[in-house]
Amino acid sequence: MATGTLNQYIQTVERMFRLAEGDELARLLSLRDAHVTNRNLRSSDIASLVEGNCVAPLDELIICHLLCVKAICEKEYSEAYSHQSQCVVTIVKILQNQKEQNWCLPLMYTVCLDLRLVAQKAETIQSNGKILEKAAESLLSCFRVCAADNRTSDEDTKRLGMLYLVNQLLKVYFRINKLHLCKPLIRAIDSSPLWYQFPLAQQITYRYFVGRKAMFDSDYRMADEYLSFAFQKCHRRSHKNKRLILTYLIPVKMLLGYMPTRNLLQKYDLLQFWDLTSVVKNGDLRGIDRIMEMHETFFISAGIYLIVEKLKIIAYRNLFRKVYLAENTHQIEIASFQAALQIMGQEDVDSDETLCIVANLIYLGKIKGYMSYQHKKVVVSKQNAFPPLSTL
């Protein structure tokens, strides 16, 4: 439809609607299809030309879509967002009118994805997150319709569209940094009996975002499980996506005591983590500061700077383990730990700070033992004083 008249376009859209051809209808109403370049569809009076020429509420959808196309061509992105938002309102009407059938889900997917993309474009002008917040509200209206369709058979239920919408919402919430709004959505999906009926690509996207959220919530076991699923199931040719997943999975694995190999990091161009791996292993605190400063831009842009900083806890544990092995006793002077910290670049650390660091490591289970404040000693377990991180 890159060529053709407005009437031909309307007739084609209506025919696909009557034939319940969801995929083809989605293509004809997508902002990423070739028809958007067709100048014949950008009339100055679209509403009067379309209204009454096809069945309602499809005519509303066509009008809003073509007005959105026109606004995008004129680079009026806020106006384009407004029209695309109306498209979603019309989609909600269509979904509510269709009982016990879900052939319209591909159309809903397309319109909702386009809404998010237009909202992001409009945000480049306004950039305060308000447009994306409104977009999320529109997406939620579709989600509610899908979630409420619980009396239809599993093959025809609109609930099969829930995961796609949740993924779009997760992308919005991560972008505007409102992760607390993800909780009810995650609960809805995790309690859904349809998990194995959702397409694998949607499962991967969901696990990736929920894994990232778990990482920010310091639930590293869950983050490891979800991000590992996303990485393993992601298509081997999707190099860019696999690299993106690894950007978060690697620091999570490191916090759990699993260090990446150089071959893996080289394959996915993530050698920033290789230098970090060696200094964490050696308990080199000065080295961690140097590498974090060297790769600061990368860690901040990926949103993992604070997570990477938590690797200092592992470095402290590894450094103190060296002290324990060197002293070869289960009663270690706090002064020994303090000296080790000073050698590793923390010259101004005092005994109280050292006590705090050791107390934190004992609390986290990274050292098995207790502290004798009276004698300024740490008494560690005679068996397995420094348990392997992977067992914690």
Side-chain angles (χ1 to χ4, degrees), residues 140-163:
L140 276 169
S141 63
C142 285
F143 177 78
R144 290 188 195 101
V145 174
C146 292
D149 190 26
N150 50 17
R151 293 185 181 177
T152 313
S153 67
D154 286 356
E155 293 77 25
D156 297 323
T157 182
K158 296 180 187 72
R159 284 183 298 157
L160 290 171
M162 285 169 63
L163 187 57

Side-chain angles (χ1 to χ4, degrees), residues 252-265:
V252 166
K253 286 279 192 189
M254 288 175 75
L255 284 163
L256 294 173
Y258 300 98
M259 300 297 162
T261 63
R262 187 179 178 88
N263 286 344
L264 177 77
L265 298 176

Side-chain angles (χ1 to χ4, degrees), residues 170 174 186 204-228 230 245 248-249 252:
L170 289 175
F174 267 77
I186 293 168
I204 291 167
T205 303
Y206 175 76
R207 290 285 176 106
Y208 164 71
F209 280 105
V210 178
R212 279 180 64 189
K213 184 182 182 299
M215 179 187 76
F216 294 130
D217 292 341
S218 299
D219 187 349
Y220 301 121
R221 290 286 168 199
M222 183 179 173
D224 180 24
E225 180 193 339
Y226 276 49
L227 290 168
S228 294
I245 297 164
Y248 303 98
L249 181 57
V252 166

Side-chain angles (χ1 to χ4, degrees), residues 21-44:
E21 291 285 349
D23 290 318
E24 191 57 25
L25 192 60
R27 185 187 66 78
L28 288 166
L29 291 161
S30 168
L31 296 175
R32 290 155 287 123
D33 185 60
H35 75 269
V36 299
T37 60
N38 185 350
R39 291 178 178 276
N40 295 332
L41 305 183
R42 294 183 224 156
S43 167
S44 56

Side-chain angles (χ1 to χ4, degrees), residues 133-278:
E133 273 189 58
K134 287 179 184 174
E137 288 169 19
S138 296
L139 295 172
L140 276 169
S141 63
C142 285
F143 177 78
R144 290 188 195 101
V145 174
C146 292
D149 190 26
N150 50 17
R151 293 185 181 177
T152 313
S153 67
D154 286 356
E155 293 77 25
D156 297 323
T157 182
K158 296 180 187 72
R159 284 183 298 157
L160 290 171
M162 285 169 63
L163 187 57
Y164 185 92
L165 291 167
V166 165
N167 287 339
Q168 294 301 319
L169 284 160
L170 289 175
K171 288 176 183 180
V172 172
Y173 292 148
F174 267 77
R175 200 174 183 97
I176 61 176
N177 198 25
K178 296 212 170 179
L179 302 192
H180 64 283
L181 296 174
C182 302
K183 278 186 182 177
L185 302 174
I186 293 168
R187 211 178 300 124
I189 295 299
D190 287 350
S191 63
S192 172
L194 301 171
W195 172 258
Y196 292 104
Q197 289 180 249
F198 294 129
L200 181 60
Q202 291 180 22
Q203 291 183 30
I204 291 167
T205 303
Y206 175 76
R207 290 285 176 106
Y208 164 71
F209 280 105
V210 178
R212 279 180 64 189
K213 184 182 182 299
M215 179 187 76
F216 294 130
D217 292 341
S218 299
D219 187 349
Y220 301 121
R221 290 286 168 199
M222 183 179 173
D224 180 24
E225 180 193 339
Y226 276 49
L227 290 168
S228 294
F229 175 95
F231 182 73
Q232 288 158 11
K233 300 290 184 182
C234 186
H235 197 282
R236 64 179 182 273
R237 288 183 186 169
S238 298
H239 191 276
K240 184 183 173 185
N241 287 346
K242 286 180 93 76
R243 182 182 186 273
L244 193 60
I245 297 164
L246 276 179
T247 304
Y248 303 98
L249 181 57
I250 288 169
V252 166
K253 286 279 192 189
M254 288 175 75
L255 284 163
L256 294 173
Y258 300 98
M259 300 297 162
T261 63
R262 187 179 178 88
N263 286 344
L264 177 77
L265 298 176
Q266 211 154 13
K267 181 179 178 182
Y268 291 100
D269 188 26
L270 287 168
L271 284 169
Q272 296 93 330
F273 288 109
W274 181 246
D275 299 332
L276 196 60
T277 301
S278 57

